[in-house]
Amino acid sequence: MLQFADLKTQGQALLEQYETLWGRLDSVESRERLNEIEAQLAKPGAWDKPELLTPVLREKSSLEFKLSMYAALRQSKIDVDDWLVLAQEDQSQDALEALAENLSALQNRLDETELSILLNGPDDNSPAILEIHPGAGGVDAQDWAEMLLRMYLRWAESRGFQVDELDRLYGDEAGIKSVTLQISGPYAYGLLKGEAGIHRLIRISPFDSSGRRHTAFASIDVYPDIDTNIEIEVREEDLRIDVFRASGPGGQHVNRTNSAIRITHLPSGIVVQCQNEKSQLKNKISAMKVLKARLYEREIKELEASKKADYATKDAIAFGSQIRTYTLQPYRLVKDHRSNWEDSGVDAVLDGRLDEFLRATLLCAHSARKTGNA
């Protein structure tokens, strides 16, 4: 049975947290900047070259999202204030349950807003390009890569994010050999960038007739989907473009024309491909988008080469290099080895419940930057 004294104590703690956080928010600056952008877009001729407005519109969308989040936080705080007064006067279970619900809503708003403060990188509000590749573990690793694909699709769906599959190579027996996704939504790249690394699965293999425990690995790469007007020099003479026939599972969904595209950037050795569209031109456009994103990320990594966590120098996709372990046998636990965040609800995590892991990773990275360890 709910007790008003307990809820009051919880409410006072949340209200103190709110006051501390509210003082750190840039609501006035964000509103002023949004007004500037709206005035800029209202000027005659502002839309003559809409392709140049992509970064401005993206900033506008980011500011609107931020201000709506601040407004929702403010309203949650007001609701808690009101229900604390009402519940003190009428301490019925209905009133206490309503107060408890509003306290939970305020806690969620506080967590969401606090997380947004950590997403202040120049590319954090960009869409994300996410790649999954199986590593050591044979068919188990390919199956594990497909499990991770499902996990990220479910996570994106839970947030209302748009997902476009740019490329997929199916495994010979099960799973996938690789997949490339474009995930669009508020702070998609900022939220997902910490997922880059090696993910390990420990389970009883469904592909082992002896029922033995196996370990499989898969790697996640995450890049910001940069604006098309950012200057990334890609010379035609530096590219080798191969055209081939797309493949599908079990001989199904195979194109009858050579529409799949593979682009090799000769100076860097980066290879990207796209085969999900029936149009060769659309596949080439998608492949070039991924190539530019990877070249952009490569430039950023070179500028930050002194950082210990430089993912460009990641270890082999095998033992000792994982950032997170998903254990299904002999016990059930998901553990992130950077933040030490753990969750015994393995099924829920694999079903897309990733927000606490994303939050813990961002907080860990933020703490490391403050102490100069990253």
Side-chain angles (χ1 to χ4, degrees), residues 189-202:
Y189 173 69
L191 290 166
L192 288 169
K193 63 185 179 183
E195 293 298 285
I198 313 304
H199 296 242
R200 177 174 67 171
L201 172 69
I202 302 173

Side-chain angles (χ1 to χ4, degrees), residues 265-271 291 295 298:
H265 185 249
L266 300 174
S268 66
I270 293 175
V271 180
L291 175 62
L295 288 172
R298 183 169 172 263

Side-chain angles (χ1 to χ4, degrees), residues 4 12 34 37 50 67 90 99 161 176 277 288 325 337 354:
F4 176 72
Q12 288 173 339
L34 181 59
I37 291 176
L67 288 169
D90 172 19
L99 173 57
F161 286 3
I176 56 175
E277 299 288 346
M288 285 298 297
T325 297
H337 302 292
L354 287 173

Side-chain angles (χ1 to χ4, degrees), residues 9-27:
T9 300
Q10 180 186 353
Q12 288 173 339
L14 288 176
L15 292 174
E16 288 177 7
Q17 184 182 350
Y18 167 86
E19 293 298 338
T20 300
L21 180 61
W22 189 260
R24 297 164 55 196
L25 302 182
D26 59 348
S27 54

Side-chain angles (χ1 to χ4, degrees), residues 101-116:
E101 289 176 4
N102 279 274
L103 289 173
S104 178
L106 178 57
Q107 181 68 75
N108 290 336
R109 294 294 185 188
L110 286 167
D111 291 344
E112 179 186 30
T113 308
E114 197 169 41
L115 183 62
S116 73

Side-chain angles (χ1 to χ4, degrees), residues 60-75:
K60 179 176 181 289
S61 175
S62 173
L63 290 168
E64 289 172 339
F65 175 79
K66 183 187 294 186
L67 288 169
S68 67
M69 182 170 53
Y70 293 170
L73 173 63
R74 181 70 173 172
Q75 186 59 53

